[in-house]
């Protein structure tokens, strides 16, 4: 666990626990809108999904941000790939180093706890603020093209 001082209060970066499910749902509603998940779903994932690591930023008794990492392993490669799937910081805490702090915590955690050698992420082409953060943290664009397809259920 890493503490970083921020003025009169301290920001705590740590792994999320099932007890964080309600706060994570509150933050996710701010990020993705209402109805995308439930407290029960968040709690279930935090308890039983070993391929996901969730990092949170906590100030005093409430969460102000989260990062979701998806750990991927393929027989094609010897190392685990960590994909940064989600990054969110409450608006009042943006441009204060919280996003950077969570990303640095995620990288340090993966170095200590596995064979992760590479991080990847996707972000919106028009999300200049996120791109600036990622570039400042050492991420660079590559030549890959991201494609997707929604399956009809």
């Amino acid at each position: 666990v890493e503490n970083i001082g921020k003025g009169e209060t301290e920001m705590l970066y740590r792994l999320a626990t099932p007890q964080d499910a309600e706060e994570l749902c509150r933050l996710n509603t701010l990020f993705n809108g209402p109805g995308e998940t439930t407290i029960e779903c968040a709690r279930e994932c935090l308890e039983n999904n070993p391929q996901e690591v969730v990092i949170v930023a906590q100030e005093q008794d409430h969460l102000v941000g989260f990062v979701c990492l998806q750990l991927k392993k393929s027989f094609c490669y010897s190392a685990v790939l960590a994909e940064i799937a989600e990054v969110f910081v409450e608006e009042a805490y943006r441009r204060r180093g919280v996003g950077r702090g969570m990303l640095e915590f995620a990288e340090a955690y993966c170095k200590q706890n596995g064979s992760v050698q590479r991080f990847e992420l996707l972000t919106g082409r028009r999300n200049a603020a996120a791109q600036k953060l990622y570039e400042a943290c050492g991420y660079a664009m590559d030549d890959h093209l991201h494609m997707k397809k929604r399956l009809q259920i």
Side-chain angles (χ1 to χ4, degrees):
V1 176
E2 178 179 337
N3 285 308
I4 297 182
K6 295 287 182 191
E8 296 178 13
T9 62
E10 293 218 357
M11 192 65 62
L12 173 69
Y13 301 102
R14 63 175 175 80
L15 296 178
T17 68
Q19 291 74 29
D20 295 319
E22 187 171 348
E23 277 282 284
L24 284 168
C25 281
R26 178 186 65 79
L27 291 173
N28 191 58
T29 297
L30 293 172
F31 184 41
N32 288 314
E36 287 298 319
T37 193
T38 64
I39 294 170
E40 294 77 22
C41 179
R43 188 173 291 116
E44 167 70 20
C45 284
L46 291 166
E47 289 174 341
N48 299 311
N49 185 358
Q51 93 178 37
E52 182 172 53
V53 174
V54 181
I55 293 20
V56 294
Q58 179 179 336
E59 184 179 63
Q60 297 177 350
D61 63 347
H62 70 282
L63 302 183
V64 301
F66 64 87
V67 168
C68 298
L69 297 177
Q70 295 294 317
L71 304 177
K72 300 177 180 184
K73 178 69 176 126
S74 169
F75 80 91
C76 296
Y77 308 102
S78 61
V80 174
L81 167 68
E83 178 185 343
I84 299 168
E86 307 286 347
V87 176
F88 178 74
V89 176
E90 251 186 293
E91 191 168 340
Y93 293 87
R94 293 180 187 161
R95 290 172 290 287
R96 293 174 46 189
V98 175
R100 177 188 286 273
M102 289 188 298
L103 290 172
E104 289 174 353
F105 183 95
E107 291 174 13
Y109 172 82
C110 286
K111 283 180 187 175
Q112 292 173 359
N113 295 291
S115 61
V116 174
Q117 295 177 354
R118 190 175 77 205
F119 275 72
E120 290 185 353
L121 61 86
L122 300 172
T123 191
R125 292 183 194 271
R126 293 184 209 106
N127 193 343
Q131 290 173 29
K132 185 176 178 181
L133 167 65
Y134 301 139
E135 289 171 357
C137 290
Y139 292 83
M141 286 196 210
D142 62 20
D143 292 333
H144 288 91
L145 172 66
H146 177 244
M147 299 175 78
K148 64 182 179 180
K149 177 181 178 179
R150 184 174 296 269
L151 297 178
Q152 300 300 319
I153 299 175

